[in-house]
Amino acid sequence: MNKITTPPTLIMIFGATGDLAKRKLFPSLYQLYLKGSLEKRFAVLGIGRREWTNEQFTQHVRDSLENSSHDQDRIDSFIEHCTYESHDVEDSSSYIKLKERADELDQSFDLDGNRIFYLAMAPEFFGTITDHLKADGLTDTEGFCRLVIEKPFGHDLPSATALNKQIRQSFSEEQIYRIDHYLGKEMVQNIEVIRFANALFEPLWNSRFISNIQVTSSEVLGVEERGRYYEKSGALRDMVQNHMLQMVALLAMEPPISLSTDEIRSEKVRVLRALRPVEGKEVDDYFVRGQYGPDENGEIKGYRENSNVDSDSNTETYVAGKVMIDNFRWAGVPFYIRTGKSMSVKSTKIVVQFKDIPMNLYYNKEHSLDPNLLVIHIQPDEGITLHLNAKKSNLGTDTDCIKLSYSASSVDGINTPEAYEKLLLDCILGDATNFTHWDEVRHSWSFVDKISEHWESTKDETFPNYPAKSMGPAKSDEMLAKDGFEWWPVGEQDLEE
Ligand code: BG6
């Protein structure tokens, strides 16, 4: 990233002793500091329930930077901007102390009263904190106030609506930055550019030329220590309601009339409004749920054996779905999505499959033409691959699939920033484009709620129905096979071939 100058800012992190702050937020802020985007006029106020001293906190921040840099001087000077305040989220007097501390930092670092409140903590406290921030005067400053809020944003539409209503009493929609960290990923941000900056794709980007689009986000890790959260969430709420549907929206949206936040978001909302709702028994035709059992060698335990997980749990750790977008552009084109834990590969990939050409001159019994594919590699590789047919290098007319690849991750000098780094920078700059608007959240919950209602009312007796370290239940392959398709493999290293 080139150096981008930011306005002076106080970044107040609620949940500063937690995992997210340690793994993502401090390293990202430090990167922004190294790149010069944060210079002298910034401060980080860590806020947590624990009675930590400043020294304990700064040591915690140092530990979090272990993998970022060994330049002690730079770390020392960054740490001079970091301080800690222990806090009780329910207690007004605690907020009054916090305000005094924020005002002091404002003075000493000359921050113009600009504040970001980052809620990196359990969602049950979101509403209480925002109520207090306003009531106890923390939002009462000369500068800007922004609220960054982590997922989950509610558990379903009614709870999300109630939470939104509560938050909106203290912050306007423009001040709220709802994080979906997929929107900070380099190649997710690239979807729009690939689509709207290439004459090659946009004319073909519709139901006349595309047969289906597949979006996969598979993880190798299981649920590990997150059983308590995951039992209530499952893959549908954890991944589909947000990350997966956001990628679908970016793939399916109409070209916005400009790149402004409002224009982009309103095009995404239009896609989410056009999702074909599926409910009741119909869900079984469009969605497949899975839960992992132990792997075939018995080395990895099944989901039900994790701590805080019911031994008879009905929670899905895998979802595959056929999402239909009922509008003119996409009529009849399935968007297949799948995501799961404890799968054989860690990969997030989009495969756009183009329709077969009307007449195949090169068909012979042994070999039919492969479809053209555009593969967008989101992680761990970052890049794109275009699958084309070309002549095999021999005397005949046999064809072969060739792959044109661009691998962003292997271009010298490109070190794509962490999603959180980009999102934090956007928030400091006041650019909300890559955060989710309430309307997006609302429409995606209303789509997902109907599926979860059906799943919660019917126990899946086949659970566990896929072994750990596999690509999910057979029913998922069958869903595509019924339409005459199959999942394109996501594990192969297209970019290196
Ligand atoms: C989070 C989910 O939002 O995304 C996790 O809560 C999941 O369960 C994670 O593991 C996946 O993110 P990434 O960036 O590793 O694909």
Side-chain angles (χ1 to χ4, degrees):
M1 227 185 279
N2 299 329
K3 177 177 162 180
I4 296 173
T5 315
T6 55
T9 318
L10 170 61
I11 302 156
M12 299 173 69
I13 301 180
F14 289 78
T17 58
D19 192 47
L20 179 75
K22 185 169 182 184
R23 280 189 308 112
K24 303 286 185 192
L25 304 184
F26 302 134
S28 297
L29 288 169
Y30 180 60
Q31 285 303 320
L32 292 175
Y33 179 69
L34 286 183
K35 289 174 185 167
S37 299
L38 294 176
E39 280 188 298
K40 295 195 170 64
R41 295 170 69 193
F42 82 97
V44 178
L45 177 54
I47 299 158
R49 199 179 35 187
R50 298 185 203 177
E51 295 284 343
W52 275 5
T53 61
N54 239 352
E55 287 65 41
Q56 277 172 304
F57 176 66
T58 51
Q59 186 54 47
H60 176 72
V61 178
R62 277 178 201 282
D63 294 344
S64 77
L65 306 182
E66 228 170 37
N67 299 326
S68 309
S69 146
H70 299 288
D71 184 340
Q72 280 313 316
D73 290 347
R74 300 289 281 160
I75 294 184
D76 288 346
S77 53
F78 173 72
I79 294 283
E80 281 168 21
H81 295 258
C82 302
T83 130
Y84 183 74
E85 183 74 26
S86 73
H87 177 71
D88 175 352
V89 289
E90 316 257 14
D91 176 14
S92 256
S93 64
S94 194
Y95 287 88
I96 290 164
K97 259 174 60 202
L98 206 56
K99 176 173 161 39
E100 284 166 12
R101 198 65 195 282
D103 290 344
E104 277 163 29
L105 290 168
D106 206 28
Q107 288 287 313
S108 47
F109 287 93
D110 194 13
L111 302 177
D112 294 349
N114 293 334
R115 285 181 190 170
I116 290 178
F117 304 98
Y118 197 122
L119 308 193
M121 56 187 312
E124 58 262 37
F125 299 118
F126 290 166
T128 312
I129 297 176
T130 55
D131 283 355
H132 276 287
L133 289 176
K134 179 161 188 209
D136 297 321
L138 278 117
T139 54
D140 200 5
T141 75
E142 297 283 300
F144 64 69
C145 280
R146 296 183 186 136
L147 177 76
V148 184
I149 195 154
E150 275 291 333
K151 67 179 266 275
F153 198 88
H155 181 73
D156 51 15
L157 183 57
S159 59
T161 308
L163 173 62
N164 198 53
K165 200 167 160 206
Q166 188 174 10
I167 292 175
R168 287 292 304 276
Q169 283 168 2
S170 310
F171 291 88
S172 67
E173 178 62 34
E174 290 66 42
Q175 292 176 305
I176 303 173
Y177 290 65
R178 297 178 195 82
I179 290 251
D180 183 316
H181 77 281
Y182 268 55
L183 296 181
K185 291 187 192 282
E186 181 70 9
M187 289 307 296
V188 172
Q189 296 191 350
N190 221 330
I191 295 173
E192 283 167 76
V193 186
I194 293 167
R195 285 192 53 194
F196 303 133
N198 290 299
L200 204 58
F201 296 125
E202 197 44 34
L204 306 182
W205 211 261
N206 55 54
S207 61
R208 286 182 59 207
F209 298 100
I210 290 180
S211 71
N212 73 93
I213 296 186
Q214 303 182 5
V215 186
T216 300
S217 189
S218 58
E219 294 185 73
V220 171
L221 279 185
V223 169
E224 320 292 309
E225 302 309 314
R226 295 171 74 212
R228 195 184 306 277
Y229 155 76
Y230 205 82
E231 272 287 88
K232 291 204 211 99
S233 135
L236 188 67
R237 293 188 171 97
D238 188 47
M239 292 291 290
V240 176
Q241 181 269 334
N242 36 69
H243 314 319
M244 303 303 284
L245 289 181
Q246 281 292 325
M247 288 191 280
V248 168
L250 288 168
L251 287 162
M253 71 193 233
E254 294 299 314
I257 57 171
S258 77
L259 293 180
S260 73
T261 306
D262 287 350
E263 295 302 341
I264 292 178
R265 283 166 152 192
S266 70
E267 292 305 339
K268 283 166 66 192
V269 170
R270 274 151 50 98
V271 173
L272 297 168
R273 279 174 47 204
L275 296 179
R276 181 184 301 169
V278 284
E279 55 192 310
K281 278 207 161 107
E282 214 182 19
V283 170
D284 299 332
D285 298 331
Y286 287 86
F287 277 83
V288 169
R289 53 179 156 166
Q291 185 192 79
Y292 64 90
D295 71 322
E296 271 149 11
N297 304 324
E299 283 164 13
I300 302 175
K301 51 185 182 178
Y303 173 65
R304 290 178 176 177
E305 294 155 54
N306 281 297
S307 51
N308 298 315
V309 170
D310 187 344
S311 57
D312 193 30
S313 172
N314 192 38
T315 301
E316 78 289 348
T317 61
Y318 173 97
V319 175
K322 169 171 153 178
V323 175
M324 300 302 291
I325 298 166
D326 287 333
N327 65 15
F328 211 84
R329 183 185 285 261
W330 293 115
V333 180
F335 283 66
Y336 297 111
I337 56 172
R338 64 175 162 169
T339 181
K341 300 273 184 201
S342 238
M343 295 176 69
S344 50
V345 279
K346 165 88 181 163
S347 174
T348 304
K349 233 170 240 190
I350 293 164
V351 182
V352 180
Q353 178 175 344
F354 291 89
K355 286 190 170 163
D356 292 340
I357 46 171
M359 185 184 129
N360 178 4
L361 291 171
Y362 299 96
Y363 178 81
N364 65 43
K365 283 210 180 72
E366 286 84 55
H367 181 73
S368 60
L369 281 184
D370 291 310
N372 291 145
L373 303 179
L374 169 68
V375 184
I376 304 177
H377 309 259
I378 292 170
Q379 63 185 16
D381 319 310
E382 295 180 323
I384 50 179
T385 308
L386 192 56
H387 293 222
L388 302 173
N389 288 299
K391 183 179 166 309
K392 245 188 190 161
S393 45
N394 59 21
L395 293 177
T397 53
D398 279 0
T399 59
D400 216 357
C401 170
I402 57 164
K403 294 172 182 173
L404 306 185
S405 286
Y406 165 69
S407 162
S409 16
S410 61
V411 174
D412 256 6
I414 294 192
N415 176 12
T416 44
E418 259 280 351
Y420 274 93
E421 183 185 329
K422 291 195 200 198
L423 295 175
L424 276 163
L425 180 62
D426 282 355
C427 177
I428 300 170
L429 293 170
D431 180 353
T433 315
N434 291 313
F435 294 82
T436 45
H437 188 276
W438 165 241
D439 289 339
E440 296 171 67
V441 177
R442 180 159 67 92
H443 288 293
S444 47
W445 272 127
S446 86
F447 177 74
V448 156
D449 278 358
K450 299 195 179 65
I451 302 160
S452 44
E453 271 160 30
H454 178 63
W455 283 353
E456 278 157 21
S457 67
T458 49
K459 188 161 167 46
D460 193 321
E461 300 296 347
T462 67
F463 278 2
N465 59 356
Y466 71 99
K469 285 202 346 214
S470 72
M471 278 312 278
K475 273 206 279 180
S476 159
D477 299 328
E478 288 159 19
M479 180 173 72
L480 270 70
K482 270 192 221 147
D483 296 341
F485 299 124
E486 57 186 335
W487 289 111
W488 291 99
V490 291
E492 67 183 37
Q493 301 293 301
D494 287 294
L495 290 172
E496 271 102 57
E497 278 175 19

Coordinates of all heavy atoms in Angstrom, one line a residue, residues 447-490:
F447 N -33.3 -13.9 4.3 CA -33.1 -15.1 3.5 C -32.7 -16.3 4.3 O -33.2 -17.4 4.2 CB -32.0 -14.7 2.4 CG -31.7 -15.9 1.5 CD1 -32.5 -16.3 0.5 CD2 -30.5 -16.5 1.6 CE1 -32.2 -17.3 -0.4 CE2 -30.1 -17.6 0.8 CZ -31.0 -18.0 -0.2
V448 N -31.7 -16.1 5.2 CA -31.1 -17.1 5.9 C -32.1 -17.7 7.0 O -32.1 -18.9 7.3 CB -29.8 -16.6 6.6 CG1 -29.4 -17.4 7.8 CG2 -28.7 -16.7 5.5
D449 N -32.9 -16.8 7.6 CA -33.8 -17.2 8.7 C -34.7 -18.3 8.2 O -35.0 -19.2 9.0 CB -34.7 -16.0 9.1 CG -33.9 -15.1 10.1 OD1 -32.8 -15.5 10.5 OD2 -34.5 -14.1 10.6
K450 N -35.2 -18.3 7.0 CA -36.2 -19.3 6.5 C -35.5 -20.6 6.5 O -36.1 -21.7 6.7 CB -36.7 -18.9 5.2 CG -37.4 -17.6 5.2 CD -38.3 -17.4 4.0 CE -39.0 -16.1 4.0 NZ -38.2 -14.9 4.0
I451 N -34.2 -20.6 6.2 CA -33.5 -21.9 6.1 C -33.2 -22.4 7.5 O -33.5 -23.6 7.8 CB -32.1 -21.7 5.3 CG1 -32.4 -21.2 3.9 CG2 -31.4 -23.0 5.2 CD1 -31.3 -20.5 3.2
S452 N -32.8 -21.5 8.4 CA -32.5 -22.0 9.7 C -33.8 -22.5 10.4 O -33.8 -23.4 11.2 CB -31.7 -21.1 10.6 OG -32.2 -19.8 10.4
E453 N -34.9 -21.8 10.1 CA -36.2 -22.2 10.8 C -36.5 -23.7 10.4 O -36.8 -24.5 11.2 CB -37.4 -21.4 10.3 CG -37.6 -20.1 11.1 CD -38.4 -19.1 10.4 OE1 -39.2 -19.4 9.5 OE2 -38.1 -17.9 10.7
H454 N -36.3 -24.0 9.1 CA -36.6 -25.4 8.6 C -35.6 -26.4 9.3 O -36.0 -27.4 9.8 CB -36.5 -25.4 7.1 CG -36.7 -26.8 6.6 ND1 -37.9 -27.5 6.7 CD2 -35.9 -27.7 5.9 CE1 -37.8 -28.7 6.2 NE2 -36.6 -28.8 5.7
W455 N -34.3 -26.0 9.3 CA -33.3 -26.9 9.9 C -33.5 -27.1 11.4 O -33.3 -28.2 11.9 CB -31.9 -26.4 9.6 CG -31.5 -26.7 8.1 CD1 -32.2 -27.4 7.2 CD2 -30.3 -26.2 7.5 NE1 -31.6 -27.4 6.0 CE2 -30.4 -26.7 6.1 CE3 -29.3 -25.5 7.8 CZ2 -29.4 -26.5 5.2 CZ3 -28.2 -25.2 6.9 CH2 -28.3 -25.7 5.6
E456 N -33.9 -26.0 12.1 CA -34.1 -26.2 13.5 C -35.3 -27.0 13.8 O -35.3 -27.7 14.9 CB -34.1 -24.8 14.2 CG -32.7 -24.3 14.4 CD -32.5 -22.8 14.5 OE1 -33.6 -22.1 14.9 OE2 -31.4 -22.3 14.3
S457 N -36.3 -27.0 12.9 CA -37.5 -27.8 13.2 C -37.4 -29.2 12.8 O -38.3 -30.0 13.1 CB -38.7 -27.1 12.6 OG -38.6 -27.2 11.2
T458 N -36.3 -29.6 12.1 CA -36.2 -31.0 11.6 C -34.8 -31.4 12.0 O -33.8 -30.9 11.5 CB -36.4 -31.1 10.1 OG1 -35.5 -30.1 9.5 CG2 -37.8 -30.9 9.6
K459 N -34.7 -32.4 12.8 CA -33.4 -32.9 13.2 C -32.8 -33.7 12.0 O -33.5 -34.5 11.3 CB -33.5 -33.8 14.4 CG -32.2 -34.2 15.0 CD -32.4 -34.7 16.4 CE -31.2 -35.4 17.0 NZ -29.9 -34.8 16.7
D460 N -31.5 -33.5 11.7 CA -30.9 -34.3 10.6 C -30.3 -35.6 11.2 O -29.3 -35.6 11.9 CB -29.8 -33.5 9.9 CG -29.4 -34.2 8.6 OD1 -29.3 -35.4 8.6 OD2 -29.2 -33.5 7.6
E461 N -31.0 -36.7 11.0 CA -30.7 -38.0 11.6 C -29.4 -38.5 10.9 O -28.8 -39.5 11.4 CB -31.8 -39.0 11.5 CG -33.1 -38.6 12.1 CD -33.0 -38.4 13.6 OE1 -32.0 -38.9 14.2 OE2 -33.9 -37.8 14.3
T462 N -29.0 -38.0 9.8 CA -27.8 -38.5 9.2 C -26.5 -37.9 9.7 O -25.4 -38.4 9.4 CB -27.8 -38.2 7.6 OG1 -27.6 -36.8 7.4 CG2 -29.0 -38.7 7.0
F463 N -26.6 -36.9 10.6 CA -25.4 -36.3 11.2 C -24.7 -37.3 12.1 O -25.3 -38.1 12.8 CB -25.8 -35.1 12.1 CG -26.0 -33.8 11.3 CD1 -25.9 -33.8 9.9 CD2 -26.3 -32.6 11.9 CE1 -26.1 -32.6 9.2 CE2 -26.5 -31.5 11.3 CZ -26.4 -31.5 9.9
P464 N -23.4 -37.4 12.2 CA -22.4 -36.7 11.3 C -22.4 -37.3 9.9 O -22.4 -38.5 9.8 CB -21.1 -36.9 12.0 CG -21.2 -38.1 12.9 CD -22.7 -38.2 13.2
N465 N -22.4 -36.5 8.9 CA -22.6 -37.1 7.5 C -21.4 -36.8 6.6 O -21.5 -37.0 5.4 CB -23.9 -36.6 6.9 CG -23.9 -35.1 6.7 OD1 -23.0 -34.4 7.2 ND2 -25.0 -34.6 6.1
Y466 N -20.3 -36.3 7.2 CA -19.0 -36.3 6.4 C -17.9 -36.4 7.3 O -17.9 -35.9 8.4 CB -18.9 -35.0 5.5 CG -18.6 -33.7 6.2 CD1 -17.3 -33.1 6.2 CD2 -19.7 -32.9 6.7 CE1 -17.1 -31.9 6.8 CE2 -19.4 -31.7 7.3 CZ -18.1 -31.2 7.4 OH -17.9 -30.0 7.9
P467 N -16.9 -37.2 6.9 CA -15.7 -37.3 7.8 C -14.8 -36.1 7.7 O -14.7 -35.4 6.7 CB -15.0 -38.6 7.2 CG -15.4 -38.7 5.8 CD -16.8 -38.0 5.7
A468 N -14.2 -35.8 8.9 CA -13.2 -34.7 8.9 C -12.2 -34.9 7.8 O -12.0 -36.1 7.4 CB -12.6 -34.6 10.2
K469 N -11.7 -33.9 7.2 CA -10.7 -34.0 6.1 C -11.3 -34.4 4.8 O -10.6 -35.1 4.0 CB -9.5 -34.9 6.5 CG -8.6 -34.2 7.5 CD -7.2 -34.6 7.7 CE -6.5 -35.8 7.2 NZ -5.5 -36.4 8.0
S470 N -12.6 -34.2 4.6 CA -13.2 -34.5 3.3 C -13.8 -33.2 2.7 O -13.8 -32.2 3.4 CB -14.2 -35.6 3.5 OG -15.4 -35.1 4.1
M471 N -14.4 -33.3 1.6 CA -15.0 -32.1 1.0 C -16.5 -32.0 1.2 O -17.2 -31.4 0.5 CB -14.7 -32.0 -0.5 CG -13.3 -31.5 -0.8 SD -12.9 -29.9 0.1 CE -13.7 -28.7 -0.9
G472 N -17.0 -32.7 2.3 CA -18.4 -32.5 2.6 C -19.3 -33.7 2.3 O -18.8 -34.7 1.7
P473 N -20.6 -33.6 2.6 CA -21.5 -34.8 2.4 C -21.7 -35.0 0.9 O -21.8 -34.1 0.1 CB -22.7 -34.4 3.1 CG -22.7 -32.9 3.3 CD -21.3 -32.5 3.2
A474 N -22.0 -36.3 0.6 CA -22.3 -36.6 -0.8 C -23.5 -35.9 -1.4 O -23.6 -35.6 -2.6 CB -22.5 -38.1 -0.9
K475 N -24.5 -35.6 -0.5 CA -25.7 -34.9 -0.9 C -25.4 -33.6 -1.6 O -26.2 -33.1 -2.5 CB -26.6 -34.6 0.3 CG -27.5 -35.8 0.6 CD -28.7 -35.4 1.3 CE -28.5 -35.1 2.8 NZ -29.5 -34.7 3.6
S476 N -24.3 -33.0 -1.3 CA -23.9 -31.7 -1.9 C -23.5 -31.9 -3.4 O -23.9 -31.1 -4.2 CB -22.7 -31.1 -1.1 OG -22.0 -30.2 -1.8
D477 N -22.8 -33.0 -3.6 CA -22.5 -33.3 -5.0 C -23.8 -33.7 -5.8 O -23.9 -33.3 -7.0 CB -21.5 -34.5 -5.1 CG -20.2 -34.2 -4.4 OD1 -19.8 -33.1 -4.4 OD2 -19.6 -35.2 -3.8
E478 N -24.7 -34.4 -5.1 CA -25.9 -34.8 -5.8 C -26.7 -33.5 -6.2 O -27.4 -33.5 -7.2 CB -26.7 -35.7 -4.9 CG -26.1 -37.1 -4.7 CD -26.6 -37.8 -3.5 OE1 -27.6 -37.4 -2.9 OE2 -25.9 -38.7 -3.0
M479 N -26.7 -32.5 -5.3 CA -27.5 -31.3 -5.6 C -27.0 -30.7 -7.0 O -27.9 -30.3 -7.8 CB -27.3 -30.3 -4.5 CG -28.1 -29.0 -4.7 SD -28.0 -27.9 -3.3 CE -26.3 -27.4 -3.4
L480 N -25.7 -30.7 -7.2 CA -25.3 -30.1 -8.5 C -25.5 -31.1 -9.6 O -25.9 -30.7 -10.7 CB -23.8 -29.8 -8.4 CG -23.4 -28.4 -7.9 CD1 -23.8 -28.2 -6.4 CD2 -22.0 -28.0 -8.2
A481 N -25.3 -32.4 -9.3 CA -25.5 -33.4 -10.4 C -26.9 -33.3 -10.9 O -27.1 -33.5 -12.1 CB -25.2 -34.8 -9.8
K482 N -27.9 -33.1 -10.1 CA -29.3 -33.0 -10.6 C -29.4 -31.9 -11.6 O -30.3 -32.0 -12.5 CB -30.2 -32.6 -9.4 CG -30.7 -33.8 -8.7 CD -31.9 -33.3 -7.7 CE -31.7 -34.1 -6.4 NZ -32.1 -33.4 -5.2
D483 N -28.6 -30.9 -11.6 CA -28.6 -29.8 -12.5 C -27.6 -30.0 -13.7 O -27.4 -29.2 -14.5 CB -28.3 -28.5 -11.9 CG -29.3 -28.0 -10.8 OD1 -30.4 -28.6 -10.8 OD2 -28.9 -27.2 -10.0
G484 N -27.0 -31.2 -13.6 CA -26.0 -31.5 -14.7 C -24.6 -30.8 -14.5 O -23.9 -30.7 -15.4
F485 N -24.3 -30.4 -13.2 CA -23.0 -29.8 -12.9 C -22.3 -30.6 -11.9 O -22.8 -31.5 -11.3 CB -23.3 -28.4 -12.4 CG -23.9 -27.5 -13.4 CD1 -25.1 -26.8 -13.1 CD2 -23.4 -27.3 -14.7 CE1 -25.7 -26.0 -14.0 CE2 -24.0 -26.4 -15.6 CZ -25.2 -25.8 -15.2
E486 N -21.1 -30.2 -11.7 CA -20.3 -30.7 -10.5 C -19.4 -29.6 -9.9 O -19.2 -28.7 -10.6 CB -19.5 -31.9 -11.0 CG -18.5 -31.6 -12.1 CD -17.8 -32.9 -12.6 OE1 -17.7 -33.9 -11.8 OE2 -17.3 -32.9 -13.7
W487 N -19.1 -29.8 -8.7 CA -18.2 -28.9 -8.1 C -16.8 -28.9 -8.8 O -16.3 -30.0 -9.0 CB -17.9 -29.2 -6.6 CG -19.1 -29.0 -5.7 CD1 -19.9 -29.9 -5.1 CD2 -19.7 -27.7 -5.3 NE1 -20.9 -29.3 -4.3 CE2 -20.8 -28.0 -4.4 CE3 -19.4 -26.4 -5.6 CZ2 -21.5 -27.0 -3.9 CZ3 -20.1 -25.4 -5.0 CH2 -21.2 -25.7 -4.2
W488 N -16.3 -27.8 -9.1 CA -14.9 -27.7 -9.6 C -14.0 -27.9 -8.4 O -14.2 -27.3 -7.4 CB -14.7 -26.4 -10.4 CG -15.4 -26.4 -11.6 CD1 -16.6 -25.7 -11.8 CD2 -15.1 -27.1 -12.8 NE1 -17.1 -26.0 -13.1 CE2 -16.2 -26.8 -13.8 CE3 -14.1 -27.9 -13.3 CZ2 -16.2 -27.3 -15.0 CZ3 -14.1 -28.4 -14.5 CH2 -15.2 -28.1 -15.4
P489 N -12.9 -28.6 -8.6 CA -12.0 -28.8 -7.5 C -11.4 -27.5 -7.0 O -11.1 -26.6 -7.9 CB -10.9 -29.8 -8.0 CG -11.2 -30.0 -9.4 CD -12.5 -29.3 -9.8
V490 N -11.3 -27.3 -5.7 CA -10.7 -26.0 -5.3 C -9.3 -26.2 -4.7 O -8.6 -25.2 -4.4 CB -11.6 -25.3 -4.2 CG1 -12.9 -24.9 -4.8 CG2 -11.9 -26.2 -3.0

